[in-house]
Amino acid sequence: MEIDGTDAVSYIRADKPRALLALLLVKANSWVGVGEIVDTVWSGRTPPVSAERNIGTYIWQLRRTLPPLGVDGQRIESRSKAYRIRVEAGELDSDRMQTLLVAGGDALTAGDAPTALKHLEAARSLWRGTPYEGLVTDQHQPEVTRLAELHWSVRERLADALIGTTRFADAVALCKSLTTEDPLRETNWARLLVAYRDAGRRADALATYQKARAALVDELGTEPGQELRRLQQQLLNDVPDQPREPAGPAAYVRSVLEAAGALDGEHAVAARHWFSTRHGEVTGAIRQLLADKDVANAWLLISALHQYVENGGEVPNWTPLVAVVAGAASYSKDWYGELICRNILGSALTHAGRITAARAEFTAALGIASVHDDRDAEGTVLVNLAMAEASGGARQQAAEYFRRALRLLPEGPTAADARQALADLGEPEDPARSTVAS
C-alpha cells in the first residue's frame, strides 16, 4: 500500500492503521461503521476494551499522512460511530488501471495497436501484487477478486496489443505465463497459438493446440472450444504461398521478423542465408523508416538484425546504426524502443571491447526499465551488463548483476543462461549459502 502525495511516496508501516486504511479504501466514499472496523482491524483476535479509542488514534494518524482534499482538506470524515474516506476519480491505482484498460480496448477495437500497447503497458505497471493482502476480512473478498480479474483482463488485452504490433516474442512469453497460471482459460491458449502463427512458427502453434487439448481433457474431460478448433483447422489447411514482395512497411517488417524468428529453428540455415544476402536492404529500409519518422518499425528491424548478429552474422556500420535508432526513439519518446536499442547497443559495444561505453548504454536501459517497472526487461539488461563486466575482468561485479537479474527474471532461457554464467564464474547464486561444512 502506497500513498503518493505531493512531495513523496509514504508507506503505512503499522499493521492496524494499514488494515483500517485498506477497509476504508475498499468502501471509498461510503460510511463504515466502527463495529466493522473493529472486526477487521482485530480480525481473528479479541479486541481490547480501548478498541474504539484506538481507532480514533489511528484515524488521527492517517489524517496526518494522507494528502488533503477539498476546501477543508478533510480526507477522512467522521460521524457518530462511523468514518469514511473521500476519494476522487482517478486517485486510486485500481481506478487508473480500469481507465487505461478501457482506453486500450477502445484502441484495439479501432485497429490502433501501438496506442493500445502504451495504455495497457501503463495499466500493467500499476500492479504490485495481491490486493489488500492480509488487510481485509473474507467479507471483502469480492473486491479482491474483482481486482484480480481486472489484472487478468489487462494482461490478456496486452497480449492482443503485442501481437498487433508484431512483438511476437513478448506476446509468446506473456501468453505462456497466462496459460501456466490458468491452463483452463481457453482464450489465452488461442492467443498463444495466434502469436506463434503470426510469427511464422506453425509447428509451435500446432503443438500449442495439443497442449491446450491435453489440459482441457485431463482436467475437465472436454474437448477444446470452437475458436481453438477453428485455429487448428486453419493451420492444418494452410498451404504457404509462393514468396512475394511485401506490400508496405508493416508487411515488410513482419517478413523480416519472421526470418529472424527462424534463425534458431529448423530453417536456421535458410534464414541466415536470407540475412547474409539482404542485410544491406534491411539497413536501407531502417534509414528510410527513420526519414519517414516511423521509429517503431525502425527499431523492430534493428531487433531483427540483432538476432542475426547474435547468430554470428555481420552488418557493416552496425553500432552507429543502432545508436542512431536509439536516439530517434528517445527523441520521439518511444521508451520501449529506446530501451531495446540501448540494450542492443550495449551488446554491440561489448563485442567491440568498449566496456565503458557498453556500461553506459546498459545503465541507461536499466533506468528506463526501472521507471516503467518492466522487470523482465530489467533482468535481461542486467544479464547483458553482467556479461560485459565479466568480459572486462570484473568478476565480482558480474556475479552481483547476474544475481540481481535472477531475482527479476521468470524461469526461462535467459534465467538459465544467467545461472550457467554464474557457475562458469565459480560464483554461487546465493552467497549466504555458499559456506561448505568441514
Side-chain angles (χ1 to χ4, degrees):
M1 184 177 295
E2 292 180 358
I3 304 167
D4 191 357
T6 55
D7 297 324
V9 175
S10 301
Y11 299 91
I12 307 298
R13 303 295 183 186
D15 290 342
K16 291 183 177 62
R18 279 200 308 142
L20 171 54
L21 179 57
L23 175 60
L24 294 177
L25 289 172
V26 166
K27 299 191 170 186
N29 299 311
S30 299
W31 290 102
V32 184
V34 169
E36 183 178 350
I37 293 174
V38 170
D39 290 342
T40 300
V41 172
W42 281 274
S43 176
R45 293 165 291 174
T46 302
V49 176
S50 61
E52 290 192 21
R53 188 167 63 253
N54 292 350
I55 293 297
T57 300
Y58 302 151
I59 291 291
W60 176 79
Q61 292 172 348
L62 290 173
R63 282 173 173 161
R64 295 184 63 194
T65 304
L66 294 166
L69 177 68
V71 177
D72 59 3
Q74 192 71 288
R75 175 67 68 169
I76 300 179
E77 298 177 322
S78 60
R79 69 181 187 187
S80 179
K81 300 289 186 180
Y83 297 93
R84 74 174 174 187
I85 189 168
R86 297 164 62 193
V87 176
E88 294 186 333
E91 285 195 297
L92 293 179
D93 279 355
S94 54
D95 292 342
R96 294 172 58 204
M97 195 173 184
Q98 179 71 58
T99 300
L100 288 164
L101 172 61
V102 171
D106 290 345
L108 283 172
T109 301
D112 187 356
T115 297
L117 184 63
K118 291 180 180 179
H119 288 312
L120 294 164
E121 285 186 324
R124 183 176 62 170
S125 72
L126 295 172
W127 188 263
R128 293 195 303 273
T130 304
Y132 303 110
E133 187 170 18
L135 298 177
V136 294
T137 60
D138 290 343
Q139 73 181 91
H140 309 112
Q141 197 60 36
E143 174 63 8
V144 175
T145 302
R146 181 187 75 83
L147 293 177
E149 190 61 33
L150 177 64
H151 185 219
W152 269 100
S153 298
V154 166
R155 291 186 294 165
E156 288 172 340
R157 298 304 274 158
L158 177 58
D160 294 333
L162 289 168
I163 293 170
T165 52
T166 67
R167 283 174 53 182
F168 300 124
D170 293 328
V172 166
L174 177 55
C175 290
K176 279 187 172 182
S177 175
L178 294 172
T179 54
T180 299
E181 287 182 42
D182 187 352
L184 304 183
R185 208 160 170 134
E186 284 192 52
T187 53
N188 291 320
W189 285 111
R191 287 183 171 92
L192 180 55
L193 194 151
V194 168
Y196 276 134
R197 180 199 67 190
D198 289 359
R201 298 169 63 177
R202 182 169 174 270
D204 288 324
L206 289 169
T208 294
Y209 175 84
Q210 295 303 326
K211 291 178 183 177
R213 181 180 180 277
L216 294 167
V217 171
D218 291 347
E219 293 292 328
L220 301 178
T222 183
E223 291 289 330
Q226 181 179 351
E227 177 64 8
L228 273 174
R229 294 199 306 271
R230 181 188 68 79
L231 288 168
Q232 184 217 25
Q233 196 60 48
Q234 186 183 75
L235 286 162
L236 292 172
N237 295 337
D238 182 38
V239 178
D241 294 330
Q242 292 299 314
R244 58 184 181 275
E245 289 300 311
Y252 179 76
V253 169
R254 176 170 295 195
S255 70
V256 177
L257 290 172
E258 287 176 355
L263 285 166
D264 294 317
E266 60 181 321
H267 303 298
V269 174
R272 280 195 290 270
H273 176 73
W274 189 94
F275 275 102
S276 68
T277 58
R278 302 184 70 169
H279 59 71
E281 170 195 302
V282 179
T283 56
I286 291 170
R287 293 187 176 90
Q288 184 58 52
L289 288 167
L290 290 177
D292 295 338
K293 302 189 184 307
D294 188 350
V295 177
N297 276 326
W299 68 254
L300 282 171
L301 290 184
I302 283 288
S303 69
L305 280 178
H306 174 62
Q307 290 178 259
Y308 169 61
V309 171
E310 289 294 295
N311 274 270
E314 293 186 8
V315 176
N317 298 313
W318 172 236
T319 302
L321 178 63
V322 180
V324 168
V325 178
S330 176
Y331 182 79
S332 65
K333 301 190 185 306
D334 183 344
W335 70 267
Y336 193 82
E338 184 183 1
L339 189 158
I340 294 295
C341 289
R342 296 288 176 202
N343 187 40
I344 293 173
L345 184 54
S347 296
L349 290 166
T350 300
H351 290 314
R354 298 167 59 188
I355 305 304
T356 301
R359 187 184 297 122
E361 296 301 331
F362 288 134
T363 301
L366 285 173
I368 297 169
S370 178
V371 165
H372 294 277
D373 197 26
D374 192 330
R375 292 171 60 87
D376 289 352
E378 190 173 353
T380 300
V381 176
L382 279 168
V383 170
N384 289 333
L385 175 55
M387 290 179 174
E389 296 290 2
S391 68
R395 174 182 152 187
Q396 294 298 324
Q397 187 63 67
E400 180 55 32
Y401 287 141
F402 281 129
R403 294 187 188 106
R404 282 176 55 189
L406 287 169
R407 291 195 289 270
L408 295 167
L409 290 168
E411 288 302 322
T414 306
D417 289 344
R419 285 196 177 88
Q420 184 58 54
L422 264 176
D424 292 342
L425 288 172
E427 293 285 337
E429 185 173 336
D430 185 353
R433 300 180 181 177
S434 63
T435 302
V436 179
S438 61

